[in-house]
Amino acid sequence: GYGIISRSMTKLEEKWVLTRETVGEGRLSVIMPLYRLADSAAGNLKEVADLFERHAVNVELVPVDDGSGDGTDAVLSRGLGDGYRHVVFRPVICPRNGGKGAALRAGFAASTGAYVMLLDGDLDIHPMQTPWFFDQMVRKNADVVIGSKRHRNSDVQYPWHRRIVSAVYFTLVRLFVGLPVTDTQTGMKLFRREVLGDALDRMLVKTYAFDLELLAIAYGRGAKIAEAPVAIRF
């Protein structure tokens, strides 16, 4: 809870404390699908690992090479190196490219955390925003928290044509799927493990509409979904 948080802390520091307490002695599994990111994978993984190590959050980092064929698998095989007390490294290497959905399934199968974060491997959305997701999960007793570019507190800078496409997609999702969310495609989502596992077991789509179907199934099964603000630079 918030009781032990010092008044001198910033809001972000308070939320890191909340994140650390919520994860507790368990683990937050961070599943990162990677496709042809051999040049940036090592740096991105170290950046994520260092972030959670610095804030003493117990994390299970699960990068998944989705059959890249460009040397990404070799980067994962080299590991993170020493010096991590709070981060466990569990790489997954898929022999062939199966798409984002297949990569996330493989990562989930290799993970063990009570909380699971899906995080795009290119770090378009930086995991330093993790505390805002846990804040929403705790305050709203949510089962799923998704990053939303349309959240009133989001800081998003991207081209006007992308904004138009996003608005049209959002309208269609509301009309035909009925999801009570403003964004389904943003590449950072936090789940309670049992909710994600239940939805994955019932999925049919493997590629393009993965995010939408995943959330639709979870919502249809009774999961409570909340949204968190994000900062994105395209």
Side-chain angles (χ1 to χ4, degrees):
Y2 286 90
I4 67 169
I5 298 174
S6 167
R7 290 183 180 180
S8 64
M9 288 184 176
T10 66
K11 285 186 177 181
L12 185 58
E13 288 171 333
E14 292 175 0
K15 287 172 174 53
W16 272 114
V17 171
L18 177 64
T19 299
R20 190 161 56 245
E21 290 181 343
T22 303
V23 173
E25 296 302 313
R27 292 272 173 192
L28 163 64
S29 295
V30 179
I31 301 176
M32 295 176 62
L34 305 167
Y35 184 63
R36 295 190 174 177
L37 292 176
D39 292 339
S40 58
N44 287 358
L45 292 170
K46 186 177 187 305
E47 196 168 334
V48 175
D50 288 352
L51 173 72
F52 288 108
E53 182 70 22
R54 188 163 61 249
H55 291 283
V57 178
N58 293 326
V59 160
E60 178 182 63
L61 185 54
V62 187
V64 184
D65 173 37
D66 187 22
S68 299
D70 69 337
T72 300
D73 55 344
V75 174
L76 301 194
S77 296
R78 287 197 289 270
L80 283 176
D82 300 325
Y84 294 100
R85 293 180 55 244
H86 298 281
V87 179
V88 174
F89 191 62
R90 299 189 192 280
V92 176
I93 297 173
C94 300
R96 62 184 61 85
N97 177 244
K100 181 180 179 181
L104 291 175
R105 284 176 185 271
F108 180 76
S111 70
T112 63
Y115 300 93
V116 182
M117 176 171 286
L118 309 183
L119 179 69
D120 283 354
D122 57 12
L123 298 191
D124 270 354
I125 301 181
H126 200 281
M128 68 174 61
Q129 300 169 68
T130 298
W132 300 101
F133 283 65
F134 272 95
D135 176 69
Q136 290 297 302
M137 180 168 277
V138 172
R139 287 202 299 116
K140 296 184 178 178
N141 193 29
D143 302 296
V144 183
V145 180
I146 62 175
S148 173
K149 296 184 292 293
R150 301 173 68 91
H151 192 286
R152 59 188 175 86
N153 292 327
S154 287
D155 180 11
V156 179
Q157 296 180 7
Y158 65 122
W160 63 267
H161 60 276
R162 292 290 296 267
R163 292 179 182 271
I164 293 174
V165 171
S166 177
V168 171
Y169 187 81
F170 160 66
T171 302
L172 292 175
V173 167
R174 278 292 178 95
L175 281 175
F176 295 108
V177 184
L179 273 174
V181 299
T182 62
D183 194 352
T184 63
Q185 302 305 110
T186 303
M188 186 170 173
K189 298 176 175 69
L190 177 65
F191 292 81
R192 297 186 190 274
R193 182 179 190 83
E194 61 276 12
V195 172
L196 178 57
D198 180 70
L200 286 174
D201 285 345
R202 289 166 169 77
M203 289 194 64
L204 298 175
V205 175
K206 302 296 191 296
T207 53
Y208 177 72
F210 177 85
D211 297 85
L212 176 57
E213 187 185 8
L214 181 66
L215 294 173
I217 292 173
Y219 180 68
R221 299 278 294 170
K224 184 176 182 180
I225 303 176
E227 295 182 320
V230 291
I232 307 177
R233 298 289 183 274
F234 286 87

